[in-house]
Amino acid sequence: MADVLTAPPEVGRRHFEPNYLNERRGILSWLTTLDHKRIGVMYLWSVLVAFLLGGIFAMVVRMELLTPKETIISADAYNKAFTLHGAIMIFLFIIPGIPAALGNFVLPLLIGAKDVAFPRLNLASYYLYVAGALFALASMIFGGVDTGWTFYTPYSTTTTTKVSLLTLGAFILGFSSIFTGVNFIATVHKLRVPGMTWFNMPLFIWGLYATAIIQVLATPVLGITLLLIVMERVWKVGIFDPALGGDPVLFQHFFWFYSHPAVYIMILPGMAIISEVIPTFSKKTIFGYKAIAYSSVAIAFISFLVWGHHMFTSGQSDLATAVFSFLTFLVAIPSAIKVFNWLATMYRGSIDLKAPMIYAIMFLLLFAIGGLTGIFLGTISVDVHLHDTYFVVAHFHYVMMGGTVIAFIAGLHYWWPKMFGRMYSEKWARPAALLIFLGFNMTFLAQFILGSRGMPRRYYNYLEQFQPLHVFSTIGSWVLALGLFMVGGYLLASLRKPYDAPDNPWGGKTLEWTTSSPPITHNFETTPVLTHGPYDYSPQEATR
Amino acid sequence: MNWLRSLMMPAPGSSYASEVDDLYMLIFWISAFFFLLIAGLLSYFVWRYRRRSADEVTPHISHNFKLEVVWSVIPLIIVVVLFFLGFNSYMNARVGPGEALEIQVRGKRWVWEFEYPDGMRTLNEIYIPVNRPVRFVMSSEDVIHSFYVPSFRVKMDVLPNRYTDLWFHPIEEGVHTMLCAEYCGRGHSDMLAQIHVVSEAKFREWQEQGDERMRTMPLAELGKMLYESRGCATCHSIDGTRREGPTFKGIYGESHAMRDGSTVLVDENYLRESILEPQAKIRSGYEAIMPTFQGLLREREIAALIEFIKAQK
Amino acid sequence: MSHPAAPAEHVHEPFLQHHFAEPAQQVDAAKIGMWVFLVTEVLLFGGLFVGYGIMHSKHPEAFASAHHHLDRTLGALNTIVLLVSSFTMVMAVAAAQAGKRRHLINYLTATLSLAGVFLVIKYFEYSHKIHEGLLPGALYSYKGEAVPGEFMFFSFYFMMTGLHGLHVIAGMIAISWVLRRAIRGDFSERYYTPVDLVGLYWHLVDMIWIYLFPLMYLIS
Ligand code: HEA
Ligand code: HEA
Ligand code: CUA
Ligand SMILES: [Cu+2]
């Protein structure tokens, strides 16, 4: 078995057999499919469209901030722009992004299954996603929303913009996310190929499993919270309205009880991709398999206990503030463990700087900055100064864009040949990655300084002294966008070629590389047989 | 490394500010160390262990318990220390001294209203004496706002259903900008106030007679300044565009229809009434949301505003 | 899991989906899925329970006084109705396990009818409150004597019992679905997972009511 896998990459054996892409044709065969691969692909296109849309709003935001007063749009339009930018990026792009698009496609392949446990639920979750997206779209068409993605009360319950439509959309998207989580948990428990023990699973599975736990435990609370906002707007039930005896800060507790764990819904799948890419391109066993696996689960659980760190200045009690700060620091440790284990994996490896690896390295650098700046924010007295400034904006873009999105792009390149049977252009990938790296740092490093100097976020007009840094940041965003469009361009261009990807272009050891590129409809010709662990690259493995 | 500190942060305006800055810089250096460590190892590995041939073999190194412990425990110790330092300085900022000048703050869209113990009220502007702690007791009339003075490194949300408080101890004379740090709608980024830290003598003089500049400035100029600093500009334009309130452009001398069906000629008296008792006559097509400025403007200031509005042709 | 490599065709059952190797695996997966889903349901209500608890502690008098408007007898009656329906559901599942189609159909019909009774009683309770003007939030128009803040109690009353009512309706749809399949003869001793799962769901709906009842009707 091992010799099949380590043989030099040949052009795939099964190119001319029907695969999941061409076995059935026609739009209807896609819309009614129960195949996890097709659902994954539909998700992929959908989240990429959402990313593009969110990115356009981001460019508008950056453009407006070029000058201290009005540049291109009014204050109202600006407030809607950053709200929709944040809401689209979070609810429509980054949360479903890796699990529902890439995860759906490769999770069953990685554990040697024919599909996820509940294919119909999977399709339902996709349609819920579409329905939620339509609601979000409707809120835009009928006038937009201006609350910020956090929907803080009582502003959100009194503003005249289309808050109910957007929150209903997010509510529906929440259920889509819950269904994906339920599906993955059952799949991982029950559909692993015979012989694959928990500690024999690829780490990507561990990451998605931990993510699914958070999705299932946190999202319902968001659901009910968003419903309460709608109730408050429609019937004035009073729970968040101080004038009626309610408590607006209660909303913040509810919201962050979901949204803090949600940031780990965003990062864990990204980390999971990195745990696959680094061993493959270092051609070396992952270092500290159990440490990485357990730390994912540790993050999942501790993440439920730290939500109050978004509320250090909200008037919550000093005791609560202290406890939340302490727990925030604890949740940083598992991330640190992962970073060091990835580094150790590269030690004495055979490192091949193909595009996925370039992005994995970029992830390590940017996530380190994002995570370390999280430490500033966890420190209470420093956070009091930095809260709701551009420092926070920069922090979360480093972890979300620099962390998750970069990991997503790494995973996209890594599995692209498997998904579509074509190789992308390595020649174009490098300059694009360089532009993304430069542009990203230009855009957001400047924002750390802005924030530390006291530039609040969600500001349409700002003090003149901040202009040079804002100009720098805006120019950076153009470089970043150029890089991203290049990536989109060469990936799409590769689809016009005939199939040219080998079954195992990177010499990977996990099960997805044992089937054809693109995979056949039922994934594997026969139930795969495990002969080695997911990261057994070294000859010593035999003697272990 | 002072240049770095002053690049990252505005000059400290309170004793507490340097305490925060010390901690900030400590975390900065710890972070710099770890970042450079990671970036350095990464670059070294990428170069040293680059793939030289397709069939290279790598050693099987699966784990090392000692290393795991080292790189879990060291960060753990660091963050626990940081927690205590952060908590400590936070409590220093929370627990105020007994003796402090107490100022009431009311946030409303999109102005800050201050009230001194002697009943004097000001808008978007306060004077405080240097070297004396000041305590602010805050509440909001509508949505959540947040009281933020970067140069003092203090911030506290201002809530509609309860009082929150905050204090600081200014150490130098000067003018500081106070900002609203919690998103509150269209005028959020214009919800600024000026904090003048002045000598004890100047402070007393101001309490008695008001700002010297205000007393001597020509009326029209004063009017323009008040228009910008007292929040009129958030709702009223001077270029003809409609905001929450009607534009000031060319309204003097016009006749306006009111909500109750009457018509009113815009003259000095109507302008005065609109400022002091905005709810008395509501212009049709607008909401009755303008706050009253009764008690917030001196006679000369009202005259200046009227002069300014008249000048908008 | 004992014959991993055996092709599925050998043990093919009509209900076995293609991606499962054998029936036991399919059943286990379905059960895990259902349990996890029930957890999310509990958390969904959990948010409302927490909100209710906080508002209760903020306005204890108002809540205590408002709850007198609820009819304890009807509430208790409904609790009994749901408890009995849980029992008939247990019997239905047992009948399915034993492959007794006739019993299965009868017990499912009984459960369905009891759910209907619950809704009818709830309808009378609701219409009485609507009549008195005891509606949530802005719709509250009660004219009698009241402690300020009582409307908040009714906000929660309607939101929580309303959401629960929606779950009862969802449960009835699910029961009707398995009932139809039972009549069609889809189930046997070998295959009755849907009955099992709908049963689990129905117990959850009951359990939530068991918490709602003392919380709303029996504040002291
Ligand atoms: C992917 C998403 C993501 C991730 C992974 C994180 C990770 C972390 N975040 Fe972040 N955060 C957000 C997304 C994310 N965050 C968002 C969206 C907001 C703002 C929302 C809004 O208001 O709109 C936010 C806001 C936010 C705040 C509130 C700020 C404020 O509003 O005042 C705080 C405060 O504690 C915080 C802390 C942290 C910490 C401690 C981590 C840690 O998990 C980081 C751990 C990682 C490391 C520490 C780096 C790697 C380790 C090493 C290099 C080893 C050395 C380490 C040490 C010595 C400690 N974050
Ligand atoms: C996943 C999350 C995510 C991502 C990726 C981004 C990406 C970006 N964000 Fe965003 N941002 C948020 C989440 C995110 N943001 C959130 C939650 C807020 C808070 C909102 C609030 O306050 O309520 C925020 C707020 C925010 C602000 C602060 C606004 C304010 O407070 O006033 C700014 C300002 O500079 C900004 C800028 C940017 C920029 C320049 C990018 C760029 O990185 C974007 C670049 C992307 C593109 C240009 C699109 C290109 C895409 C394609 C071409 C598709 C095909 C691509 C491939 C196949 C790869 N963002
Ligand atoms: Cu007031 Cu923002
Ligand atoms: Cu958080």
Side-chain angles (χ1 to χ4, degrees), chain A residues 61-83:
Chain A
V61 165
R62 280 301 345 150
M63 194 63 187
E64 172 54 43
L65 292 173
L66 204 53
T67 65
K69 295 271 179 278
E70 176 167 333
T71 314
I72 50 168
I73 51 176
S74 70
D76 284 320
Y78 178 81
N79 293 342
K80 288 173 185 167
F82 74 68
T83 301

Side-chain angles (χ1 to χ4, degrees), chain A residues 94-427:
Chain A
I94 198 167
I95 289 188
I98 296 177
L102 296 178
N104 239 329
F105 194 99
V106 296
L107 180 133
L109 290 171
L110 277 173
I111 59 174
K114 288 190 190 140
D115 208 319
V116 291
F118 315 117
R120 278 201 209 92
L121 191 67
N122 204 11
L123 186 64
S125 128
Y126 177 71
Y127 280 118
L128 281 179
Y129 173 86
V130 173
L134 288 179
F135 267 89
L137 215 60
S139 81
M140 272 175 241
I141 293 167
F142 297 117
V145 178
D146 69 342
T147 57
W149 82 281
T150 49
F151 303 114
Y152 272 20
T153 53
Y155 187 79
S156 63
T157 51
T158 49
T159 175
T160 53
T161 53
K162 299 289 172 261
V163 179
S164 300
L165 277 177
L166 186 58
T167 44
L168 276 177
F171 176 79
I172 297 170
L173 290 168
F175 274 90
S176 155
S177 169
I178 288 177
F179 286 167
T180 307
V182 170
N183 220 335
F184 283 4
I185 290 179
T187 309
V188 173
H189 271 275
K190 280 295 152 199
L191 289 185
R192 280 170 287 135
V193 73
M196 184 181 279
T197 61
W198 282 88
F199 290 104
N200 223 342
M201 292 193 314
L203 285 164
F204 185 71
I205 307 297
W206 271 104
L208 284 190
Y209 183 73
T211 309
I213 292 180
I214 313 182
Q215 282 176 310
V216 163
L217 294 182
T219 319
V221 179
L222 176 76
I224 203 70
T225 309
L226 296 178
L227 269 193
L228 284 175
I229 288 213
V230 177
M231 297 285 170
E232 187 82 308
R233 288 181 66 87
V234 178
W235 285 317
K236 308 239 173 315
V237 292
I239 167 165
F240 300 131
D241 185 348
L244 297 174
D247 184 355
V249 180
L250 182 63
F251 172 81
Q252 298 178 22
H253 283 289
F254 275 164
F255 182 82
W256 290 117
F257 180 82
Y258 163 77
S259 290
H260 181 82
V263 310
Y264 295 103
I265 297 181
M266 304 171 205
I267 198 70
L268 280 172
M271 293 170 152
I273 288 179
I274 301 304
S275 302
E276 295 301 320
V277 169
I278 289 188
T280 305
F281 291 90
S282 305
K283 221 178 178 189
K284 187 161 161 287
T285 311
I286 188 95
F287 187 89
Y289 175 96
K290 285 200 176 169
I292 296 182
Y294 283 137
S295 61
S296 296
V297 180
I299 288 178
F301 283 102
I302 310 178
S303 72
F304 281 95
L305 307 172
V306 309
W307 76 88
H309 68 206
H310 297 271
M311 301 169 60
F312 286 163
T313 67
S314 70
Q316 70 183 3
S317 76
D318 292 337
L319 176 69
T321 296
V323 172
F324 283 128
S325 164
F326 188 78
L327 292 167
T328 299
F329 284 127
L330 285 192
V331 81
I333 302 301
S335 304
I337 293 175
K338 283 184 196 264
V339 168
F340 292 123
N341 278 299
W342 289 322
L343 269 178
T345 302
M346 292 168 67
Y347 169 70
R348 295 185 65 191
S350 165
I351 297 171
D352 189 9
L353 283 187
K354 292 267 172 26
M357 188 63 175
I358 294 179
Y359 283 104
I361 289 171
M362 205 189 291
F363 171 95
L364 284 178
L365 293 173
L366 301 181
F367 175 72
I369 297 180
L372 288 164
T373 51
I375 301 296
F376 286 73
L377 298 173
T379 311
I380 314 173
S381 60
V382 177
D383 180 66
V384 168
H385 174 54
L386 297 176
H387 172 68
D388 268 349
T389 65
Y390 267 78
F391 192 96
V392 177
V393 174
H395 156 70
F396 66 69
H397 282 94
Y398 263 87
V399 277
M400 294 201 295
M401 175 78 200
T404 309
V405 179
I406 295 298
F408 177 79
I409 298 178
L412 199 57
H413 284 81
Y414 184 57
W415 283 307
W416 188 265
K418 183 56 66 186
M419 296 177 86
F420 299 108
R422 280 92 165 182
M423 300 303 290
Y424 59 85
S425 156
E426 200 68 52
K427 198 175 81 216

Side-chain angles (χ1 to χ4, degrees), chain C residues 37-65:
Chain C
F37 178 69
L38 294 187
V39 169
T40 70
E41 290 277 36
V42 168
L43 283 156
L44 187 76
F45 277 93
L48 280 175
F49 276 102
V50 170
Y52 176 90
I54 289 171
M55 286 305 143
H56 184 195
S57 66
K58 278 192 129 182
H59 310 279
E61 295 89 28
F63 272 49
S65 139

Side-chain angles (χ1 to χ4, degrees), chain B residues 113-126:
Chain B
E113 194 183 306
F114 300 92
E115 188 171 338
Y116 284 77
D118 62 4
M120 181 166 62
R121 296 199 285 152
T122 63
L123 256 196
N124 286 354
E125 186 169 50
I126 48 170

Side-chain angles (χ1 to χ4, degrees), chain B residues 12-236:
Chain B
S14 66
S15 51
Y16 170 66
S18 339
E19 199 178 318
V20 174
D21 294 1
D22 288 343
L23 190 50
Y24 180 104
M25 290 313 292
L26 175 69
I27 307 175
F28 180 89
W29 288 119
I30 294 175
S31 302
F33 169 80
F34 277 103
F35 179 73
L36 291 176
L37 181 77
I38 293 171
L41 285 174
L42 209 52
S43 322
Y44 177 71
F45 290 169
V46 166
W47 169 78
R48 175 71 180 72
Y49 304 117
R50 64 190 178 278
R51 186 170 300 177
R52 287 155 219 256
S53 71
D55 46 9
E56 254 178 348
V57 215
T58 57
H60 183 82
I61 315 171
S62 69
H63 59 283
N64 181 327
F65 187 68
K66 273 193 210 131
L67 265 179
E68 297 287 350
V69 171
V70 168
W71 63 48
S72 318
V73 170
I74 293 180
L76 186 63
I77 295 175
I78 293 177
V79 294
V80 169
V81 171
L82 288 179
F83 163 73
F84 278 107
L85 293 175
F87 180 59
N88 195 32
S89 57
Y90 172 73
M91 286 319 280
N92 288 347
R94 292 296 302 147
V95 183
E99 273 295 290
L101 170 64
E102 204 167 282
I103 298 178
Q104 305 285 323
V105 181
R106 263 180 303 279
K108 53 186 166 189
R109 274 183 265 176
W110 289 282
V111 287
W112 294 103
E113 194 183 306
F114 300 92
E115 188 171 338
Y116 284 77
D118 62 4
M120 181 166 62
R121 296 199 285 152
T122 63
L123 256 196
N124 286 354
E125 186 169 50
I126 48 170
Y127 281 72
I128 52 175
V130 71
N131 271 329
R132 201 159 98 192
V134 202
R135 176 160 179 265
F136 294 87
V137 179
M138 313 181 290
S139 69
S140 161
E141 287 188 5
D142 36 49
V143 298
I144 305 179
H145 304 275
S146 188
F147 181 110
Y148 177 35
V149 191
S151 44
F152 296 139
R153 317 281 189 270
V154 291
K155 182 182 292 127
M156 180 49 97
D157 285 5
V158 180
L159 302 166
N161 59 337
R162 63 170 98 141
Y163 293 102
T164 51
D165 70 330
L166 155 160
W167 73 275
F168 53 78
H169 191 139
I171 48 174
E172 258 176 287
E173 290 181 32
V175 187
H176 304 270
T177 307
M178 178 197 138
L179 309 131
C180 178
E182 183 61 67
Y183 175 71
C184 54
R186 214 202 69 222
H188 167 56
S189 65
D190 301 320
M191 198 166 158
L192 312 185
Q194 298 300 319
I195 299 184
H196 300 259
V197 180
V198 295
S199 68
E200 197 73 42
K202 266 247 182 74
F203 177 63
R204 238 171 291 119
E205 181 189 315
W206 173 78
Q207 271 190 313
E208 276 147 29
Q209 311 160 26
D211 187 353
E212 185 189 319
R213 259 183 329 144
M214 303 255 189
R215 271 179 283 129
T216 52
M217 218 186 239
L219 273 189
E221 219 176 283
L222 177 62
K224 180 169 174 13
M225 198 197 94
L226 292 168
Y227 165 76
E228 279 157 7
S229 68
R230 292 302 193 260
C232 319
T234 22
C235 299
H236 298 282

